[in-house]
Amino acid sequence: MEIVTPGGLPAGMREEDLGSRSVPRNPLLFNLLYRMKLVEQIGSGVRRIHDACLEHGVAEPVIQVGSPQIG
């Protein structure tokens, strides 16, 4: 499975922060979705992906930050 997010990391976020820190790309939208209980919490996605891989005995994900390679 490949997940692509256009636009790179949000301002203030570094690649080494993935899984331990999170910066919402759109804080107003995140706050709205959080209050509507449509998102759990900020910054849980990468950690949950790693945990699911361990739980199911599959290789940990490869996370690549930067422009996707075409071709």
Side-chain angles (χ1 to χ4, degrees):
M1 174 186 294
E2 181 175 354
I3 300 170
V4 177
T5 303
L9 295 173
M13 183 78 173
R14 302 172 307 163
E15 185 173 356
E16 53 269 19
D17 295 332
L18 291 171
S20 63
R21 179 173 178 261
S22 187
V23 176
R25 187 175 305 277
N26 185 329
L28 293 175
L29 181 59
F30 170 78
N31 190 13
L32 173 69
L33 295 173
Y34 182 76
R35 286 184 287 135
M36 293 173 68
K37 300 185 187 303
L38 295 174
V39 294
E40 295 176 2
Q41 62 184 23
I42 190 168
S44 65
V46 172
R47 186 179 63 246
R48 287 175 40 211
I49 291 169
H50 278 277
D51 291 347
C53 289
L54 288 173
E55 180 182 334
H56 294 284
V58 298
E60 288 193 28
V62 175
I63 298 175
Q64 178 182 1
V65 175
S67 301
Q69 299 295 322
I70 300 174

